[in-house]
Amino acid sequence: MIGITGRRYRLELIKGADERCGDRCADSYMSDFASRIAQAGALPVHLSYDTDAKEICQWLSGVVITGGQDVHPSYWGGDTAVVRDIDPRMNPMVHDAARDEYEIELVRAALERGIPVLGVCRGMQVLNVALGGTLIADLPPSSVSHLSAEAAPTDGTVDHLVTFEKGSIAADLFGENALTNSWHHQAVDRCGAGLVVTGRTSDGVTESVELPGAPVLGVQWHPEWMKSADPTMTWIVQAAAELLAAHCGEQMHRSLR
């Protein structure tokens, strides 16, 4: 069972929605995550903010923190003066403190139990913030296209080549480098406790992070929208299967004692 996070918004945002919906909300999830995780052999589980992070981690074998809004600067020491005071349920593109709080707690609960974690785009930044890291609030113009105008799905532009550190999870999955898509204007700045940068673009922007010795991977691109095969979804499923097999082995050992 792989838990997948999503976002929450008001139903009245939907064009043609019944006015009787009022201020009712809906949770939404990018189906590509569930589809690719299922194809890799796992059971995808969509997680509501209302799910207790510690309790659900007793059932999950893996966690995927997905993309979306910027993490609120109050969680990583950024400039809160620039934050727009808009209800995120009315405009899902702005900050959502409720989502931030839930996903940060979920990451910490998963790490505490040794559950594999995959952070995607915003999810990589959440992983970093959960461990005490900071973010770059807005990337300066660069020769690399980080905020692509291309619509998904796409494998990105030719300038967005990510180079990986030898011996890292990312290098084991992709080799020395990989061409990826990109839709972000923020990025990891100072890494949180234990995290290391394992992938960068030519302008130095962090594109992958890992927690050495643990099944933890953060990627700044969107593997769920890559047209070509992207092994990160297979990786989280395999890591989860290994964890589950280890737990089953421990239980069998205890029963035989």
Side-chain angles (χ1 to χ4, degrees), residues 28-174:
S28 68
Y29 304 87
M30 292 297 181
S31 60
D32 296 281
F33 282 105
S35 297
R36 297 206 178 193
I37 285 173
Q39 288 168 6
L43 178 65
V45 179
H46 290 139
L47 301 178
S48 164
Y49 300 174
D50 306 293
T51 308
D52 184 277
K54 291 185 177 180
E55 292 293 331
I56 195 63
C57 281
Q58 295 185 41
W59 297 92
L60 299 175
S61 299
V63 168
V64 179
I65 311 296
T66 62
Q69 308 98 319
D70 296 342
V71 181
H72 196 285
S74 64
Y75 288 97
W76 52 271
D79 184 5
T80 58
V82 301
V83 175
R84 290 171 290 172
D85 185 19
I86 303 175
D87 184 345
R89 295 171 302 169
M90 289 300 295
N91 186 344
M93 297 308 295
V94 302
H95 307 91
D96 186 347
R99 183 182 183 186
D100 295 339
E101 183 177 353
Y102 175 71
E103 291 185 339
I104 289 171
E105 184 180 3
L106 182 63
V107 166
R108 291 172 177 168
L111 295 180
E112 184 178 342
R113 294 185 64 89
I115 296 173
V117 175
L118 172 62
V120 173
C121 199
R122 163 197 158 87
M124 184 179 87
Q125 297 168 15
V126 169
L127 170 63
N128 188 51
V129 171
L131 292 172
T134 60
L135 305 177
I136 298 172
D138 202 20
L139 287 169
S142 166
S143 58
V144 177
S145 302
H146 290 290
L147 190 58
S148 174
E150 295 182 18
T154 177
D155 285 344
T157 54
V158 292
D159 66 315
H160 202 272
L161 185 71
V162 181
T163 301
F164 304 107
E165 294 290 332
K166 291 182 179 180
S168 64
I169 294 173
D172 289 342
L173 294 175
F174 292 95

